[in-house]
């Protein structure tokens, strides 16, 4: 079932509708409802005409569950002509219909979105889908829809791209009830699934999951929402965790919610890597692969499809946070620990003005020169060390040329990784001293190690540091 919003059917638009059908078809949900046989001609040429640009998360505000058990989800595809002409770009919407199974609904939705994403992102797969559909169309023109019941099929028919909205208002509305009431134990808002929520220091600490277009896996992240954010938008601090962590180590061990509640900061903590991507060897060592994404976009063939933590956090999750949570967009800071300290510092240095301040606990300050960094960058970025500089704070701080950037670093003197020269704090310090556009405060903390005992001791200092810049 295809549902596209524009009413005028110019030729390029019709091609886009067909493209949406193809992608829909590829998700193995059901065969498209054939409007006429000439459509197969369009399929034949489709991959020479259109290219998928992006697919949005399912818009679950348009999700409805019908008595018979079919489910409709609106997904928006952005397609353009082959040249990428933005004037021909168009949003088409597809309406999915499939039957409830014993699988939880949210899993079905996420897996379909994942499949659609893969099709969109992989040009070869898109071409294959075009071929497959062309063959299916010519050999089995009266293809059997996967829909099991004729009555449901009839019900689907009026849902053409011209009358989806009207139908919702009229007779079908009587049989519709919002998915939310059907989704027991889980809340979904526009593709975000709430995994857990607790009250802490008058605010809420919530864990979400969603299917990521960047990593092509299900990703989790946590958000602390202070009570102040219930009334008005609030500044936000991002926290990036270290090797072996997920999005929960920090929220459970650092005591950060007390500080965030005090200052009224939203606190966002992403995961450290994709999980379950299926990359060969990704779980073999604790400092590469799962739990060790190093906040880079991998470029080597083995990792590049999934290990895109830089784009995941700074584009995809950034947009999700902006559209779902009450944050003041130009008042955001970033902090992190160890590998996450590297992630936080590099993010601020690579994006002048995006984060008003950055801080780090025991950051991997010069990854190009330490064993952890060499291993990860070799794997993710390849052997060309020029490419490594793009993700190395010590290199980036020399070249930084944005608004005055305040950086704070705390480093324990009894940190075994510091002693093993994994962190190289002094290299960052020396490099920063050469650039008057940065102010870097580095504190060596006598007796402290690398653990969250160290992080939780100095977390109040980091919040104080950020608060001076975020709220003056
Ligand atoms: N397993 C390792 C130690 C791993 C470790 O110390 N991880 C740190 C981050 S290290 C740099 O990124 C961490 O934050 N761990 C999670 C925690 O909750 O403490 C070993 O064998 O030593």
């Amino acid at each position: 079932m295809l549902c596209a919003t524009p009413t005028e059917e110019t030729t390029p638009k019709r091609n886009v509708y067909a493209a949406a059908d193809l992608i829909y078809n590829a998700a193995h949900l059901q065969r498209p409802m054939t409007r006429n046989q000439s459509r197969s001609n369009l399929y034949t040429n489709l991959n020479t005409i259109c290219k998928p640009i992006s697919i949005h998360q399912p818009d679950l505000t348009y999700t409805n569950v019908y008595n018979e058990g079919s489910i409709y989800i609106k997904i928006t595809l952005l397609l353009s002509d082959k040249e990428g002409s933005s004037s021909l770009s168009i949003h088409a919407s597809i309406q999915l219909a499939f039957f409830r199974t014993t699988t939880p609904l949210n899993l079905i939705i996420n897996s379909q979105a994942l499949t659609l994403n893969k099709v969109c992102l992989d040009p070869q797969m898109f071409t294959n889908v075009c071929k497959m559909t062309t063959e299916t169309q010519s050999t089995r023109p009266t293809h059997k829809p996967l829909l099991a019941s004729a009555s449901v099929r009839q019900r689907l028919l009026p849902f053409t791209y011209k009358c989806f909205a009207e139908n919702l208002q009229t007779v079908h509305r009587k049989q519709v009830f919002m998915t939310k009431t059907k989704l027991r134990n889980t809340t979904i808002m526009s593709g975000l699934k709430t995994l857990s929520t607790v009250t802490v220091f008058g605010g809420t600490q919530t864990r979400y999951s969603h299917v990521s277009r960047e990593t092509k896996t299900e990703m989790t992240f946590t958000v602390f929402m202070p009570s102040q954010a219930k009334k008005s938008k609030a500044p936000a601090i991002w926290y990036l965790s270290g090797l072996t962590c997920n999005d929960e180590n920090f929220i459970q061990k650092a005591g950060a919610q007390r500080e965030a509640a005090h200052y009224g900061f939203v606190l966002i903590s992403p995961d450290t890597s994709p999980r379950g991507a299926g990359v060969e060897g990704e779980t073999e060592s604790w400092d590469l692969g799962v739990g060790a994404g190093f906040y880079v976009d991998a470029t080597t063939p083995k990792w590049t499809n999934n290990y895109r933590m830089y784009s995941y956090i700074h584009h995809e999750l950034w947009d999700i946070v902006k559209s779902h949570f009450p944050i003041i967009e130009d008042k955001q800071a970033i902090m992190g620990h160890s590998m996450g300290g590297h992630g936080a510092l590099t993010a601020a240095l690579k994006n002048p003005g995006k984060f008003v301040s950055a801080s780090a606990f025991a950051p991997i300050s010069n990854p190009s020169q330490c064993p952890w960094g060499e291993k990860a960058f070799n794997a993710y970025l390849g052997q060309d060390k020029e490419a490594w500089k793009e993700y190395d704070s010590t290199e980036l701080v020399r070249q930084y040329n944005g608004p005055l950037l305040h950086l704070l670093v705390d480093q324990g003197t009894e940190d075994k990784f510091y002693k093993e020269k994994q962190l190289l704090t002094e290299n960052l310090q020396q490099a920063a001293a050469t650039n008057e556009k940065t102010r870097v405060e580095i504190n060596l903390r006598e007796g402290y190690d690398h653990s969250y005992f160290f992080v939780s001791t100095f977390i109040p200092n980091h919040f104080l540091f950020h608060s001076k810049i975020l709220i003056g």
Side-chain angles (χ1 to χ4, degrees):
M1 171 64 71
L2 177 67
C3 167
T5 34
T7 48
E8 252 180 64
E9 288 207 16
T10 62
T11 300
K13 281 180 184 172
R14 221 181 292 135
N15 291 339
V16 171
Y17 298 157
D21 252 8
L22 274 183
I23 293 163
Y24 167 53
N25 208 18
H28 307 296
L29 294 168
Q30 67 169 94
R31 299 294 173 209
M33 292 299 199
T34 309
R35 283 196 275 278
N36 57 55
Q37 269 316 111
S38 67
R39 169 165 288 180
S40 63
N41 299 332
L42 283 177
Y43 289 141
T44 314
N45 295 320
L46 201 75
N47 70 327
T48 61
I49 302 165
C50 289
K51 71 170 185 184
I53 299 173
S54 65
I55 177 161
H56 293 219
Q57 289 296 312
D59 183 351
L60 294 167
T61 53
Y62 282 89
T63 301
N64 295 291
V65 180
Y66 288 76
N67 290 341
E68 294 85 353
S70 58
I71 299 162
Y72 301 85
I73 300 168
K74 188 178 170 196
I75 293 185
T76 302
L77 305 167
L78 182 59
L79 299 158
S80 84
D81 67 345
K82 204 75 176 178
E83 280 70 50
S85 159
S86 54
S87 61
L88 283 175
S89 296
I90 184 172
H91 284 276
S93 301
I94 57 171
Q95 186 185 330
L96 309 179
F98 50 92
F99 286 93
R100 204 118 49 102
T101 66
T102 50
T103 314
L105 176 56
N106 54 310
L107 287 185
I108 299 177
I109 293 169
N110 286 340
S111 71
Q112 299 313 332
L114 194 59
T115 315
L116 291 163
N117 260 323
K118 278 185 180 156
V119 172
C120 269
L121 291 166
D122 182 343
Q124 187 54 46
M125 202 184 299
F126 186 63
T127 305
N128 291 345
V129 169
C130 291
K131 280 193 193 132
M132 178 198 83
T133 311
T134 307
E135 282 158 20
T136 309
Q137 286 286 319
S138 54
T139 54
R140 288 191 293 156
T142 53
H143 54 263
K144 212 170 159 185
L146 293 184
L147 282 173
S149 133
S151 64
V152 173
R153 195 174 162 200
Q154 292 245 322
R155 207 171 285 293
L156 286 168
L157 280 172
F159 283 81
T160 60
Y161 46 85
K162 280 188 182 155
C163 58
F164 179 59
E166 288 92 313
N167 270 313
L168 277 182
Q169 300 301 321
T170 56
V171 59
H172 290 273
R173 184 153 197 152
K174 293 179 194 143
Q175 297 153 351
V176 171
F177 50 94
M178 289 305 290
T179 313
K180 269 186 189 168
T181 59
K182 278 278 170 187
L183 294 174
R184 297 167 213 96
N185 308 326
T186 164
T187 310
I188 294 185
M189 50 183 196
S190 300
L192 288 189
K193 185 167 72 170
T194 302
L195 299 178
S196 63
T197 188
V198 290
T199 301
V200 54
F201 293 108
T204 50
Q205 180 70 62
T206 308
R207 190 174 194 216
Y208 300 96
S209 75
H210 68 113
V211 176
S212 162
R213 71 158 192 259
E214 294 295 343
T215 68
K216 301 168 200 82
T217 60
E218 184 153 14
M219 295 294 291
T220 52
F221 66 97
T222 64
V223 177
F224 171 75
M225 196 58 67
S227 60
Q228 294 92 325
K230 286 178 196 153
K231 295 188 203 113
S232 56
K233 288 187 171 188
I237 298 186
W238 293 70
Y239 181 93
L240 306 185
S241 285
L243 291 165
T244 71
C245 291
N246 64 11
D247 51 307
E248 292 199 295
N249 297 61
F250 168 67
I251 61 161
Q252 290 168 356
K253 292 182 170 181
Q257 293 89 346
R258 181 193 293 271
E259 303 302 319
H262 172 73
Y263 293 107
F265 293 157
V266 174
L267 206 49
I268 304 133
S269 174
D271 202 349
T272 55
S273 76
R275 290 172 198 273
V279 176
E280 189 233 322
E282 68 178 346
T283 55
E284 274 167 22
S285 50
W286 63 272
D287 52 3
L288 186 70
V290 171
F294 266 84
Y295 304 104
V296 303
D297 282 348
T299 51
T300 51
K302 177 174 168 181
W303 302 95
T304 191
N305 210 27
N306 309 97
Y307 280 71
R308 297 182 49 77
M309 288 304 290
Y310 182 84
S311 286
Y312 167 66
I313 291 171
H314 300 297
H315 299 302
E316 183 174 4
L317 193 53
W318 182 267
D319 288 345
I320 290 174
V321 166
K322 188 170 71 176
S323 60
H324 287 88
F325 302 99
I327 56 159
I328 305 173
E329 212 186 320
D330 59 359
K331 286 198 171 180
Q332 300 194 62
I334 189 163
M335 58 166 96
H337 171 224
S338 197
M339 176 184 73
H342 138 78
L345 296 178
T346 52
L349 290 164
K350 278 165 81 68
N351 298 285
K354 184 170 182 174
F355 298 102
V356 298
S357 50
S359 72
F361 302 89
I364 303 173
S365 301
N366 194 183
S368 308
Q369 305 292 335
C370 75
W372 276 342
E374 284 172 356
K375 178 174 175 181
F377 284 6
N378 250 314
Y380 296 140
L381 306 174
Q383 289 171 0
D384 177 7
K385 292 197 173 179
E386 275 306 299
W388 299 11
K389 291 181 180 172
E390 286 296 308
Y391 295 105
D392 188 317
S393 306
T394 297
E395 298 292 339
L396 291 167
V397 82
R398 284 196 191 101
Q399 299 148 20
Y400 178 80
N401 189 23
L404 181 66
L405 180 63
H406 290 267
L407 305 172
L408 169 67
V409 172
D410 275 288
Q411 176 59 61
T413 59
E414 292 308 306
D415 179 333
K416 70 173 177 170
F417 300 126
Y418 178 57
K419 291 179 176 178
E420 288 170 6
K421 304 274 180 217
Q422 294 281 21
L423 307 175
L424 302 173
T425 322
E426 53 287 348
N427 293 6
L428 176 69
Q429 190 161 29
Q430 280 163 17
T434 64
N435 188 341
E436 59 187 24
K437 299 241 169 175
T438 60
R439 295 275 183 284
V440 185
E441 178 188 336
I442 297 184
N443 304 306
L444 285 183
R445 303 295 189 180
E446 201 62 42
Y448 286 90
D449 67 7
H450 196 74
S451 70
Y452 268 87
F453 293 112
F454 158 65
V455 174
S456 59
T457 302
F458 296 103
I459 199 91
N461 305 39
H462 284 240
F463 271 90
L464 179 63
F465 163 78
H466 290 293
S467 74
K468 285 180 182 162
I469 302 160
L470 284 169
I471 52 184

